[in-house]
Amino acid sequence: MTSDSPELPAQAEVVVIGGGVMGTSIAFHLAEAGVRDVVVVERDDLGSGSTCKAAGGVRAQFSDELNIRLGARSIELFQRFPQRPGQEIDLHQVGYLFLLSSREHVTAFERNVDLQNSLGVRSRMLTVEEARRISPLIETDGLLAATYSPDDGHCTPESVVLGYATAARRSGVRFHTRTTVRSIVGTGSDSFRVETDRGTVSAGTLVCAAGAWSREIGEMVGVDLPVSPLRRQIMFTEPMPELHDRVTPFTIDFGSTFYFHREGQGLLFGMSDPDETPGFKLDMSDAWLPRLTEAIGRRAPRLLDVGVRDGWAGLYEVTPDHNALIGSVGRFFYATGFSGHGFLQGPAVGEVVRDLVLGREPFVDVSSLDASRFAADQARPELNCV
């Protein structure tokens, strides 16, 4: 997607920095609520950052009540996406299956399931045998239990961005891609002048949805957004005829973080690398392959005989407690640092930020996700991350 117009307007009511799922969702929800003068500034193409490199999973299986609520609300919105905003996103609600191999994790996930159930999420504990029936590719040696929720699944991130952007444009939102923010100048109380390599736009409200690049944006306005970029790699198998007409849940071996889900005629798979260091690294690295191969051999050995088609590297936007930053300082708002679950929470967070900008009470209280929590020693750890 390219820029709608070659030059930035001199003035806007709201400027959103970042054109991934978070920025386009926020822009759509603001425009739908009647804010007619919204400008989105994106350094590359829409969805070209972390969003297009996401695995596409959607779930409400979290350990933190806020994340459960945001995930569950987003699933509702994903289900209705073809009607509002109006785009097919290939949503496959095949469930998320967490495989557990330590007593500590089993105890924690039992507690999580109780919390999820109390909030209306249909997750449940499974025996190892039940897990094997749901995900026949797995090897069960060493497993103690599993959790599963049938409403979880995956969809196509690029289509979600396209849907939000297309509907937002219809409501008057102006998108300026390949436009890099150089500096932000405060021109008085709650007024900002955003200087880019393609012009300057002034606005009374500024929203940072810049993902892994958010720390720099925060520094421009004197707000500490402790977000670090961390490379994550995923790969795709060649077609696997044995998967034909078989439902394959999004399966996660929680102990190793190895995961896979159906993608076309084959599988998408990946895992985190504990040796990865922060940085804007988007090249594929072989350093993780021995650990990945070991995890596959232990948990899904049949995949070792399947050819690998290709893969890519993307960036997680990680915070110290692996939980999001949502809040504001004056008229500077931010929604970033989702630590791997930003795509799946994008629809709900768009609603939340809309309400914060408009001075309304969101459907969920996100005050505990304010970036100031770290200085106040009130970190809010999320367990269910990979």
Side-chain angles (χ1 to χ4, degrees):
M1 301 179 204
T2 57
S3 183
D4 288 6
S5 56
E7 293 185 29
L8 282 170
Q11 192 76 33
E13 185 175 348
V14 179
V15 170
V16 178
I17 301 174
V21 65
M22 209 58 65
T24 55
S25 174
I26 290 167
F28 164 75
H29 284 97
L30 285 170
E32 185 186 53
V35 181
R36 288 288 174 254
D37 195 12
V38 178
V39 167
V40 176
V41 176
E42 163 57 44
R43 61 193 293 274
D44 203 330
D45 293 324
L46 295 183
S48 63
S50 296
T51 297
C52 72
K53 304 294 179 63
V58 299
R59 62 179 164 111
Q61 286 191 80
F62 287 97
S63 65
D64 182 296
E65 178 175 344
L66 262 177
N67 288 329
I68 296 168
R69 292 185 183 276
L70 291 170
R73 176 59 179 162
S74 287
I75 288 174
E76 292 178 26
L77 297 173
F78 281 130
Q79 288 172 324
R80 300 202 294 267
F81 216 88
Q83 294 76 43
R84 171 185 174 271
Q87 175 71 36
E88 178 53 54
I89 59 173
D90 297 318
L91 176 63
H92 299 283
Q93 289 183 281
V94 293
Y96 254 67
L97 179 68
F98 282 93
L99 306 175
L100 309 174
S101 53
S102 81
R103 290 293 176 193
E104 179 185 4
H105 288 157
V106 172
T107 300
F109 273 73
E110 287 173 339
R111 186 167 57 247
N112 295 346
V113 166
D114 286 343
L115 176 59
Q116 293 156 14
N117 293 168
S118 75
L119 298 171
V121 175
R122 299 192 301 157
S123 57
R124 63 183 189 272
M125 298 296 300
L126 298 183
T127 66
V128 173
E129 293 73 22
E130 289 171 324
R132 177 65 183 269
R133 284 198 293 271
I134 289 175
S135 189
L137 287 172
I138 66 170
E139 173 59 55
T140 60
D141 283 356
L143 292 183
L144 300 177
T147 69
Y148 177 75
S149 180
D151 298 321
D152 297 342
H154 54 89
C155 60
T156 304
E158 297 90 337
S159 296
V160 173
V161 170
L162 176 63
Y164 277 140
T166 301
R169 282 193 182 94
R170 286 197 298 264
S171 295
V173 174
R174 289 170 284 183
F175 289 88
H176 294 266
T177 54
R178 301 191 178 277
T179 303
T180 301
V181 175
R182 298 298 192 198
S183 66
I184 302 169
V185 181
T187 57
S189 61
D190 299 332
S191 183
F192 306 93
R193 187 169 76 247
V194 181
E195 299 176 347
T196 79
D197 59 350
R198 297 182 60 179
T200 300
V201 55
S202 295
T205 298
L206 188 60
V207 181
C208 175
W213 295 265
S214 294
R215 185 189 291 267
E216 182 181 1
I217 300 300
E219 289 173 349
M220 293 180 186
V221 295
V223 176
D224 183 22
L225 298 177
V227 176
S228 298
L230 197 65
R231 177 170 55 187
R232 285 288 186 268
Q233 301 181 94
I234 60 176
M235 304 180 81
F236 302 88
T237 72
E238 296 286 356
M240 299 174 64
E242 65 268 34
L243 296 180
H244 182 65
D245 291 335
R246 174 180 289 173
V247 174
T248 303
F250 197 128
T251 303
I252 301 175
D253 183 42
F254 193 66
S256 67
T257 75
F258 163 60
Y259 63 85
F260 61 84
H261 73 66
R262 181 81 176 265
E263 186 75 14
Q265 299 302 307
L267 293 177
L268 174 157
F269 66 96
M271 68 180 288
S272 65
D273 180 358
D275 295 331
E276 188 63 73
T277 56
F280 291 95
K281 295 174 284 188
L282 290 171
D283 57 312
M284 291 289 287
S285 167
D286 292 339
W288 72 318
L289 290 179
R291 186 179 280 110
L292 174 65
T293 301
E294 179 186 357
I296 294 174
R298 184 172 59 252
R299 194 55 67 215
R302 274 184 282 174
L303 295 189
L304 295 177
D305 298 324
V306 180
V308 175
R309 180 163 48 89
D310 54 15
W312 61 54
L315 296 174
Y316 270 19
E317 39 176 305
V318 180
T319 65
D321 61 2
H322 297 280
N323 235 327
L325 308 176
I326 304 175
S328 64
V329 177
R331 295 300 296 173
F332 173 72
F333 296 84
Y334 50 85
T336 185
F338 289 88
S339 304
H341 46 268
F343 168 69
L344 69 91
Q345 293 185 349
V349 173
E351 291 185 329
V352 168
V353 175
R354 171 203 64 199
D355 292 342
L356 293 176
V357 169
L358 297 177
R360 303 195 279 201
E361 186 174 337
F363 77 93
V364 63
D365 180 5
V366 295
S367 59
S368 61
L369 295 180
D370 193 282
S372 64
R373 69 181 183 269
F374 299 108
D377 196 25
Q378 294 177 338
R380 192 181 175 106
E382 169 57 53
L383 170 68
N384 293 22
C385 291
V386 294

